[in-house]
Amino acid sequence: MHPRCLATPEVLQEATLSTEMTMHQPFKAVQVTDAVYWVGAIDPNVREFHGYLTSRGTTYNSYLVLGEKTALIDTVKAQFKDEMMARIASVVEPSKVDYIISSHAEMDHSGCLPDAVAEMKPEKVFASKMGVAALAAHFHGGLDVTPVEDGGELALGPDLTLKFMETRFLHWPDSMFCYLPQRNFLFSQDAFGMHLAGTERFADQVPPWLIKHESSKYYANIVLPFSNIVQKLLEKLDASGLVINMVAPAHGPIWRSGFRDVLGWYRLWSKQTLKQSVLVLYDTMWGSTDLMARTICDGLSSTGVAVKQICLSQSHRSDVATELLDAGALVVGSPTLNNQVYPTIADAMSYIKGLKPRPRPSATFGSFGWSGESTKQIEEALTAMDFENLGQVKAKYVPDHKLLQECWELGRLVGERVCPQDPDGVTRF
Ligand code: FEO
């Protein structure tokens, strides 16, 4: 029996009402330029995004480009299809959408594509060559997708053309940008985006500190492994002479001004330019590793270096990645539990490794009861990432004064490495 058959009449009635209501959702499009409308969805409640804590929710951005022909760039996550359809309908009858373009196949942008295609019946669905294969692997033949070439064009009218620019592995193998030369307008899919819900559609409507914070969190957690590709793309954009006045990413606000800011940040972040700061990352079981961490931080701060202390039982791995983005060194501490590094630290080390951070100096510390493998295991994980190891301190059960002095000296050593001092003890900034 199909599970739906188990539904009570009340549930069925509720489902019918819900369907009727979503058919009449009054969501409206937001005009971006004379020819471009935002028709995406706002998801303020999402917190889990493949391991990334989206503390401020997100948006799934779709864009309608209106010429003699109408194109929809990207769809939204499956459960937000009706919101997108309502916003489209506020501008144009959905059946009048001629083309749908998939910037990449990830489900937050393609989840409702089959249903949207069934409802809109566009003339064509386009994706990059790799996108055609990726969509086929997601939807198993349910979609007829036409490949576009890198540099290919789609005419939407005599004065409106979409140009396609492949950005392979930024951040999916099939990713591509779309550019509207007549409006100097770039649709940048996930690049230059951020996970930030809200009713503000433009970056200049959001406090600058929040824009920079969420941009850096997004870069650190999503884009960082592809930093070499970002650098090549930025060189390509520079060499192309493309004029870009507005940038519409697939998440978060649109850059109608201030794009040079995020471009500058991407130049810095993709080079992984490090600061005179140290991240101390740890967790604690009975307080010993916490005491060691605080003592190491004190030794670090004596050198003038900026210190960020994160206890993983109180923080999320995606905040660790954000802080690590430009930290000049990493110090990691863990108790030993059942001969292993503490689970939260193992989680963070695995996550960090996948992000391919630039190698930098590191140190380890931790407490133990009878075996004490944690520091060695952390050291091995850091060595596997080519991080230089500057030292290690281990405490049996509870650190005594002598051992805490060693912790303080370890902090001092790491701090001096990141923030060198003159022989007279003056910190060189
Ligand atoms: Fe926002 Fe790569 O999906």
Side-chain angles (χ1 to χ4, degrees):
M1 182 185 284
H2 192 282
R4 276 190 204 157
C5 298
L6 298 173
T8 62
E10 290 76 17
V11 169
L12 287 172
Q13 188 187 12
E14 198 176 305
T16 307
L17 283 174
S18 160
T19 306
E20 284 171 2
M21 284 164 67
T22 56
M23 295 278 286
H24 297 97
Q25 288 175 358
F27 294 107
K28 300 286 185 288
V30 176
Q31 187 164 15
V32 182
T33 72
D34 61 320
V36 177
Y37 288 78
W38 175 86
V39 290
I42 302 170
D43 186 358
N45 299 320
V46 65
R47 290 293 178 271
E48 211 307 299
F49 206 104
H50 53 58
Y52 178 147
L53 175 69
T54 46
S55 316
R56 294 183 171 90
T58 195
T59 65
Y60 313 108
N61 295 341
S62 302
Y63 299 97
L64 208 54
V65 187
L66 289 161
E68 287 179 5
K69 294 280 194 177
T70 299
L72 177 69
I73 298 178
D74 280 328
T75 61
V76 295
K77 209 170 174 180
Q79 64 262 43
F80 292 91
K81 191 254 307 172
D82 291 326
E83 182 175 336
M84 179 193 76
M85 294 299 289
R87 293 190 197 279
I88 293 170
S90 73
V91 179
V92 63
E93 168 60 39
S95 64
K96 304 274 190 239
V97 172
D98 299 286
Y99 309 123
I100 300 181
I101 295 153
S102 167
S103 71
H104 67 301
E106 196 164 12
M107 295 292 253
D108 49 338
H109 310 294
S110 73
C112 81
L113 184 58
D115 286 346
V117 168
E119 284 189 37
M120 290 190 259
K121 300 186 175 47
E123 205 175 305
K124 295 262 187 193
V125 177
F126 294 108
S128 66
K129 275 186 197 164
M130 293 177 92
V132 173
L135 288 169
H138 278 75
F139 300 114
H140 305 292
L143 281 173
D144 181 14
V145 186
T146 304
V148 295
E149 298 285 338
D150 181 32
E153 296 187 358
L154 177 66
L156 301 179
D159 299 314
L160 208 59
T161 313
L162 274 173
K163 291 192 171 188
F164 304 108
M165 185 193 297
E166 284 191 358
T167 56
R168 289 186 185 190
F169 287 98
L170 185 58
H171 70 127
W172 268 36
D174 55 315
S175 294
M176 67 173 183
F177 286 178
C178 299
Y179 179 62
L180 202 56
Q182 294 88 353
R183 300 294 185 279
N184 300 330
F185 197 114
L186 182 70
F187 300 93
S188 63
Q189 39 97 12
D190 284 334
F192 311 121
M194 69 195 79
H195 287 310
L196 180 62
T199 51
E200 300 87 357
R201 292 280 60 80
F202 300 97
D204 54 68
Q205 297 171 317
V206 181
W209 69 266
L210 184 54
I211 289 290
K212 185 163 187 191
H213 174 75
E214 291 301 335
S215 294
S216 70
K217 185 173 181 181
Y218 191 88
Y219 189 95
N221 284 275
I222 304 274
V223 187
L224 186 66
F226 311 101
S227 287
N228 288 343
I229 295 168
V230 172
Q231 288 193 14
K232 287 189 184 125
L233 174 74
L234 295 179
E235 284 166 18
K236 191 174 162 183
L237 282 179
D238 288 343
S240 71
L242 282 189
V243 180
I244 300 172
N245 291 338
M246 295 181 81
V247 176
H251 298 286
I254 297 160
W255 301 91
R256 66 180 165 191
S257 61
F259 176 58
R260 288 191 176 282
D261 290 345
V262 72
L263 203 59
W265 301 336
Y266 267 54
R267 286 188 208 285
L268 272 180
W269 295 332
S270 64
K271 287 180 192 152
Q272 297 201 48
T273 308
L274 303 182
K275 287 185 177 166
Q276 289 183 322
S277 65
V278 178
L279 173 60
V280 178
L281 170 67
Y282 70 102
D283 209 337
T284 194
M285 215 160 124
W286 294 109
S288 290
T289 311
D290 178 68
L291 180 58
M292 295 170 82
R294 288 189 285 123
T295 311
I296 288 169
C297 288
D298 201 65
L300 281 163
S301 65
S302 73
T303 66
V305 76
V307 183
K308 183 75 184 182
Q309 182 179 338
I310 292 185
C311 179
L312 265 169
S313 57
Q314 312 300 329
S315 299
H316 194 269
R317 69 176 85 81
S318 46
D319 295 320
V320 171
T322 312
E323 293 298 335
L324 187 62
L325 181 60
D326 55 11
L330 174 64
V331 182
V332 185
S334 171
T336 297
L337 176 66
N338 299 329
N339 308 104
Q340 302 297 318
V341 70
Y342 213 56
T344 51
I345 298 296
D347 174 300
M349 296 307 291
S350 167
Y351 189 71
I352 290 170
K353 186 180 181 189
L355 294 172
K356 301 185 175 63
R358 174 180 157 183
R360 62 202 79 185
S362 69
T364 57
F365 64 100
S367 62
F368 66 99
W370 47 93
S371 54
E373 290 90 343
S374 68
T375 44
K376 185 166 180 292
Q377 289 172 8
I378 297 166
E379 225 174 76
E380 286 168 358
L382 291 167
T383 302
M385 290 188 269
D386 293 327
F387 281 34
E388 180 188 1
N389 177 34
L390 297 182
Q392 180 195 100
V393 181
K394 287 167 71 169
K396 188 166 175 67
Y397 291 121
V398 176
D400 60 11
H401 178 79
K402 181 171 170 293
L403 197 124
L404 288 175
Q405 187 61 37
E406 283 179 42
C407 289
W408 197 93
E409 294 298 342
L410 181 64
R412 176 98 193 159
L413 177 77
V414 175
E416 285 178 348
R417 179 60 177 274
V418 175
C419 211
Q421 300 196 330
D422 286 331
D424 58 4
V426 177
T427 302
R428 290 198 303 267
F429 289 101

